[in-house]
C-alpha cells in the first residue's frame, strides 16, 4: 500500500482536529491554559521547531538541553524562593514530577530503613490522582486523610498520621478538585520535626500563586518543604510535555534528594545510561518552548497574566454569589474553582453542578464534571463542577457569566441524575459490591447498556458521572478503562 502525499495527510489531520474541543479562546475550562497572547504560541512553535531533532537523553552531546534546563530550574527556584541549594529537573509533566517526588522520598526512606517494610504516603484525599499512581508503581501505601465537605484538610489531621513509616507527606498549592491551599507551613514544620520529607504539589498553582497577593507562604521559604513540583505546561503557558521538580533542604540535602531521583547504570552492553527522569529518549521541544516563553515573559509577564486570572476569578465568584442555588466549594485560592449545589436552599431552588455543566456545554462552554467521593470517615465531598480560569477568559468573562446564569436557570430544581435503575441492573449482574470486576468484553457490554458506549465532546455526562459516583471504584475504573481503551482500538 503506498502512502498519501503530505498535503492530503495534513488535510486529514485538520479534519480530525475539527472534532476536538477548542483549545483557544477560553471555552474549555480545564485541560488547556490559554494565555490569550498569540505571540506566545508563535514563539513556542518556533522554539519547539528549532529543538525538534534533539534528544534530551544526552546533554553531553546536545549541551543546549542542559543550558535550557539550567535556565528553567534557575527561573523556577527564584520564583519559589529557593536559594542556591535548591536543584532539580525538567520532566514531561505534572504526573512525572509527582511520581519522581515519591520515588525519591521512597528511596531515601528505604536507605534509612533497610528491611523496614512498606512505607506510607500521607496526603489529603483531594491530592492529585498522580500520587495514587505513584504509590501503586513504587510500592507505598497511600494514606488519604479526609477533608471537610468544603474540600479543606486540617493540618492536625495530616500531622497525626505522621509516623516512622511515612516516607513522604504531600500538600497541594492548590488542590485541583477544590482550589484549596493546603496548610503548608504547619504540615511541613511538623514533618521536619519528625524527619519526614514534605512535597508541595504546585503543579497547578506553581506559575500563578507566586504573584497572587495575600496568601500564606507555601514555597521554599517554609521550613520543612523538601520538594516542589510546578508545571510549565499549565500556567507556564508552554505546550504540553513540560514540568519542573525542585528539591531543597539544608546544606547538600537538595542535591542528595535530586541525585536519588536519577537512574544510572553501566551494567549493560550499551552506552552508559543516566536518566534524571522516568523516560529515556526525551523530546526537547516542550523544554525549548517553555524556555523561550519564560525568557520572553519574565516574572513581570507572569505577574500580568496572573492579574488577568484574578480579575476573572473575581467576576466568576461575584456572578456565582448572585445565582440562587449555586455556590463555590470552600475557599479556593488561585485559578481553580469548584461549583456545588447550595444545600442551604430548598431542593427546588438548587442548581445541580453536573446538570449545569451539561447545560453550559449546549451554550458552548465546557466546565468539568467531578464526581462526589465518600471518604474513610464517612464525610462526603459533594459532586461538583471544576473551572480552570485562564487569562484569555478576561475578554469573554461577561459572556461566560451570562451563559452561567442562563444555564443555571435552565436546570434549577433538577436533581442530580438518578443512576439507581442502572445500579440495580449492575447489582443483579453481580457488579454492585466490587467483589466482581468486569473484564473487557463484559465492561463493554455494560457500557453500551448504560448508553455510554460512545462519548463525544457534547454528550451529557450527568448520568455517567452519577453512575461512577455510586459504583464500587474497581468496577467504575474497569468501565472507564474500557471506554478509553476502545476509543483507540483500530476498527
Ligand atoms: C495539583 C496537580 N498535580 C498534578 C497534576 C498532574 O499533572 P499532569 O496532568 O500534567 O500530569 C495536576 C493536573 O491537573 C494537578 O492539578
Amino acid at each position: 500500500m503506498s502512502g498519501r502525499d503530505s498535503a492530503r495527510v495534513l488535510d486529514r489531520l485538520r479534519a480530525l482536529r475539527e472534532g476536538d474541543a477548542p483549545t483557544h479562546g477560553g471555552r474549555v475550562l480545564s485541560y488547556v491554559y490559554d494565555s490569550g497572547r498569540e505571540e506566545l504560541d508563535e514563539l513556542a512553535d518556533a522554539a519547539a521547531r528549532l529543538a525538534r531533532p534533539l534528544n534530551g537523553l544526552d546533554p553531553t552531546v546536545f549541551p543546549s538541553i542542559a543550558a535550557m534546563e539550567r535556565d528553567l530550574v534557575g527561573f523556577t527556584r527564584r520564583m519559589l524562593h529557593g536559594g542556591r541549594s535548591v536543584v532539580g529537573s525538567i520532566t514531561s509533566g505534572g504526573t512525572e514530577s509527582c511520581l519522581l517526588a515519591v520515588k525519591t522520598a521512597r528511596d531515601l526512606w528505604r536507605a534509612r530503613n533497610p528491611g523496614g517494610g512498606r512505607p506510607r504516603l500521607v496526603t489529603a484525599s483531594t491530592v492529585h490522582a498522580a500520587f495514587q499512581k505513584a504509590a501503586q508503581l513504587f510500592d507505598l501505601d497511600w494514606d488519604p486523610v479526609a477533608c471537610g465537605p468544603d474540600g479543606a484538610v486540617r493540618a492536625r489531621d495530616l500531622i497525626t498520621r505522621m509516623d516512622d513509616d511515612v516516607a513522604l507527606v504531600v500538600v497541594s498549592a492548590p488542590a485541583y478538585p477544590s482550589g484549596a491551599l493546603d496548610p503548608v507551613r504547619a504540615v511541613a514544620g511538623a514533618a521536619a520535626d519528625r524527619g519526614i520529607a514534605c512535597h508541595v504539589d504546585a503543579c497547578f498553582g506553581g506559575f500563578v500563586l507566586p504573584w497572587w497577593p495575600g496568601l500564606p507562604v507555601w514555597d521554599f521559604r517554609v521550613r520543612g518543604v523538601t520538594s516542589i513540583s510546578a508545571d510549565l505546561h499549565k500556567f507556564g503557558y508552554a505546550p504540553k510535555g513540560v514540568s519542573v521538580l525542585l528539591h531543597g533542604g539544608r546544606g547538600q540535602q537538595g542535591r542528595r534528594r535530586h541525585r536519588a531521583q536519577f537512574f544510572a547504570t553501566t551494567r549493560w552492553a550499551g552506552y552508559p545510561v543516566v536518566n534524571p527522569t522516568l523516560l529515556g529518549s526525551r523530546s526537547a521541544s516542550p523544554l525549548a518552548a517553555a524556555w523561550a516563553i519564560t525568557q520572553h515573559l519574565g516574572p513581570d509577564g507572569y505577574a500580568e497574566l496572573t492579574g488577568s486570572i484574578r480579575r476573572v476569578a473575581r467576576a466568576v465568584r461575584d456572578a456565582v454569589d448572585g445565582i440562587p442555588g449555586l455556590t463555590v466549594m470552600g475557599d479556593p485560592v488561585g485559578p481553580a474553582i469548584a461549583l456545588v449545589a447550595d444545600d442551604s436552599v430548598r431542593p427546588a431552588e438548587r442548581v445541580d453542578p453536573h446538570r449545569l455543566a451539561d447545560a453550559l456545554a449546549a451554550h458552548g462552554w465546557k466546565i468539568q464534571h467531578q464526581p462526589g467521593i465518600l471518604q474513610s470517615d464517612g464525610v462526603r465531598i459533594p459532586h461538583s463542577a471544576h473551572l480552570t480560569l485562564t487569562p484569555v477568559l478576561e475578554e469573554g468573562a461577561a459572556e461566560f457569566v451570562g451563559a452561567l446564569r442562563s444555564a443555571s436557570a435552565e436546570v434549577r430544581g433538577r436533581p442530580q441524575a438518578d443512576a439507581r435503575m442502572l445500579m440495580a441492573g449492575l447489582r443483579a449482574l453481580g457488579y454492585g459490591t466490587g467483589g466482581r470486576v468486569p473484564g473487557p468484553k463484559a465492561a463493554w457490554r455494560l457500557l453500551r447498556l448504560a448508553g455510554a458506549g460512545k462519548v463525544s465532546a457534547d454528550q451529557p455526562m450527568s448520568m455517567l458521572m452519577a453512575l461512577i459516583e455510586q459504583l464500587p471504584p474497581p468496577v467504575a475504573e474497569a468501565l472507564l478503562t474500557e471506554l478509553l481503551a476502545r476509543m483507540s482500538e483500530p476498527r
Side-chain angles (χ1 to χ4, degrees):
M1 202 166 78
S2 61
R4 294 184 189 161
D5 71 50
S6 29
R8 282 185 59 204
V9 172
L10 291 177
D11 281 347
R12 171 86 184 116
L13 179 53
R14 276 184 209 102
L16 287 172
R17 287 281 285 102
E18 274 170 25
D20 292 336
T23 54
H24 286 76
R27 293 252 158 197
V28 177
L29 286 89
S30 58
Y31 301 130
V32 286
Y33 301 80
D34 185 1
S35 67
R37 297 196 188 171
E38 221 172 286
E39 87 266 13
L40 288 190
D41 285 350
E42 282 161 13
L43 176 63
D45 283 349
R49 199 183 172 94
L50 272 173
R52 185 156 307 134
L54 297 172
N55 187 345
L57 177 62
D58 193 344
T60 66
V61 177
F62 307 113
S64 65
I65 305 262
M68 289 187 283
E69 288 211 8
R70 276 198 304 275
D71 285 347
L72 276 174
V73 166
F75 180 80
T76 311
R77 84 175 173 192
R78 275 194 302 284
M79 297 311 105
L80 303 183
H81 299 95
R84 290 170 63 85
S85 61
V86 168
V87 290
S89 297
I90 304 303
T91 73
S92 65
T95 296
E96 194 181 19
S97 290
C98 298
L99 292 178
L100 285 168
V102 174
K103 186 204 99 74
T104 299
R106 183 211 55 182
D107 288 355
L108 293 171
W109 182 90
R110 277 187 183 162
R112 285 196 311 275
N113 298 275
R118 221 172 128 88
R120 235 171 348 119
L121 173 64
V122 172
T123 74
S125 66
T126 48
V127 83
H128 193 273
F131 289 94
Q132 289 185 52
K133 188 178 196 174
Q136 254 186 42
L137 287 174
F138 301 130
D139 281 328
L140 293 91
D141 286 325
W142 179 50
D143 186 6
V145 172
C147 299
D150 60 353
V153 69
R154 281 188 303 216
R156 76 176 126 95
D157 292 343
L158 284 160
I159 293 167
T160 51
R161 302 285 181 97
M162 292 180 189
D163 213 335
D164 291 346
D165 63 337
V166 175
L168 184 68
V169 58
V170 181
V171 277
S172 301
Y176 183 88
S178 61
L181 177 62
D182 285 349
V184 178
R185 186 188 285 280
V187 173
D193 293 342
R194 293 159 178 78
I196 297 171
C198 177
H199 178 76
V200 179
D201 178 15
C203 281
F204 191 77
F207 288 94
V208 175
L209 299 194
W211 299 279
W212 200 279
L215 297 182
V217 175
W218 58 272
D219 58 17
F220 281 111
R221 284 169 291 181
V222 175
R223 183 179 76 92
V225 167
T226 52
S227 54
I228 303 184
S229 49
D231 286 0
L232 286 156
H233 69 194
K234 293 192 172 72
F235 289 100
Y237 307 105
K240 290 286 174 270
V242 57
S243 166
V244 189
L245 174 61
L246 298 178
H247 301 273
R250 277 211 237 116
Q252 294 298 304
Q253 284 294 326
R255 281 210 175 97
R256 274 206 201 97
R257 286 182 220 282
H258 181 230
R259 302 331 186 228
Q261 176 198 301
F262 278 58
F263 170 81
T265 185
T266 50
R267 287 171 256 187
W268 77 305
Y271 56 91
V273 165
V274 186
N275 297 152
T277 62
L278 295 175
L279 303 180
S281 287
R282 289 196 288 165
S283 167
S285 287
L287 165 73
W291 176 84
I293 288 174
T294 53
Q295 295 280 312
H296 178 67
L297 282 178
D300 292 349
Y302 282 102
E304 260 176 48
L305 289 165
T306 298
S308 294
I309 299 171
R310 286 177 53 216
R311 287 188 287 279
V312 172
R314 192 65 273 151
V316 171
R317 290 190 69 167
D318 287 349
V320 173
D321 283 348
I323 297 178
L326 188 67
T327 190
V328 167
M329 183 196 285
D331 186 19
V333 302
I337 288 182
L339 302 179
V340 287
D342 182 358
D343 283 343
S344 69
V345 301
R346 290 184 305 123
E349 282 161 22
R350 288 183 200 155
V351 174
D352 179 78
H354 288 184
R355 300 271 190 208
L356 172 67
D358 285 346
L360 260 182
H363 287 262
W365 298 90
K366 274 186 81 66
I367 61 175
Q368 194 176 43
H369 303 71
Q370 300 190 124
I373 59 161
L374 183 63
Q375 303 174 101
S376 54
D377 63 350
V379 172
R380 273 195 99 72
I381 298 182
H383 68 294
S384 61
H386 166 97
L387 279 60
T388 291
L389 306 174
T390 53
V392 73
L393 207 52
E394 193 172 10
E395 231 175 79
E399 199 190 333
F400 175 64
V401 160
L404 199 60
R405 284 196 194 104
S406 308
S408 298
E410 288 161 24
V411 302
R412 183 165 295 116
R414 287 189 69 195
Q416 183 178 15
D418 188 351
R420 275 178 301 184
M421 289 270 284
L422 284 171
M423 274 307 294
L426 286 164
R427 244 181 249 119
L429 293 167
Y431 296 115
T433 62
R436 184 172 181 215
V437 175
K441 198 168 160 195
W444 187 233
R445 201 161 45 87
L446 293 174
L447 280 167
R448 282 192 312 197
L449 281 176
K454 215 173 175 186
V455 172
S456 64
D458 44 13
Q459 187 178 311
M461 299 289 279
S462 291
M463 183 57 87
L464 180 60
M465 291 293 148
L467 189 61
I468 289 171
E469 204 171 306
Q470 290 192 22
L471 277 171
V475 178
E477 286 151 11
L479 294 185
L480 293 174
T481 298
E482 196 54 32
L483 189 63
L484 262 78
R486 293 270 170 169
M487 282 185 80
S488 315
E489 265 186 23
R491 301 232 163 82

